[in-house]
Amino acid sequence: MSKARVAFGIKVPAISGNPDFERLFRVQMNTLEWMPIFLPSPWLFAIYISDAVAAVLGLAWIAGRILYMTGYSQAAAKRGRGFGIQASAAIVLWLGALGAIVWRLIHA
């Protein structure tokens, strides 16, 4: 963010003033907001279902975040595809892990 602050002339502690900077700032904040949602999900999925599938879905999440970043940095309307990919990957990871945990609890 420091490079973006210099490039767009946004002094600390301001987070507004230039729409291009504000979109980049939101990308960073949205990524941080998703971390506690995403990070436990591949770990649990790998434990209860499959390491390899968890890794592939984790890569899909990362690819979605990259598409989100590149789209959102151009225009707010271009963030949807990347957001959908990363959200779908996280949902599949969580539903798979929770389903496997419930299955094991019921059949233990």
Side-chain angles (χ1 to χ4, degrees):
M1 282 303 352
S2 61
K3 287 182 182 181
R5 284 186 180 280
V6 171
F8 297 115
I10 305 296
K11 304 274 187 220
V12 173
I15 56 170
S16 63
N18 184 306
D20 295 330
F21 175 79
E22 290 174 18
R23 286 193 310 273
L24 290 174
F25 183 79
R26 279 305 311 148
V27 168
Q28 180 185 17
M29 291 290 87
N30 186 264
T31 302
L32 292 174
E33 292 161 0
W34 269 90
M35 285 299 185
I37 298 167
F38 169 72
L39 287 176
S41 66
W43 175 66
L44 290 168
F45 193 97
I47 289 171
Y48 291 102
I49 298 178
S50 167
D51 293 356
V53 176
V56 169
L57 289 168
L59 289 173
W61 187 84
I62 292 169
R65 291 308 307 172
I66 291 169
L67 285 172
Y68 178 82
M69 177 190 64
T70 57
Y72 204 179
S73 65
Q74 295 170 7
K78 294 184 178 183
R79 72 188 190 272
R81 184 173 62 151
F83 185 85
I85 291 169
Q86 65 94 38
S88 296
I91 289 168
V92 169
L93 285 165
W94 271 113
L95 289 178
L98 292 174
I101 291 168
V102 169
W103 176 266
R104 288 190 182 189
L105 288 172
I106 291 172
H107 295 90

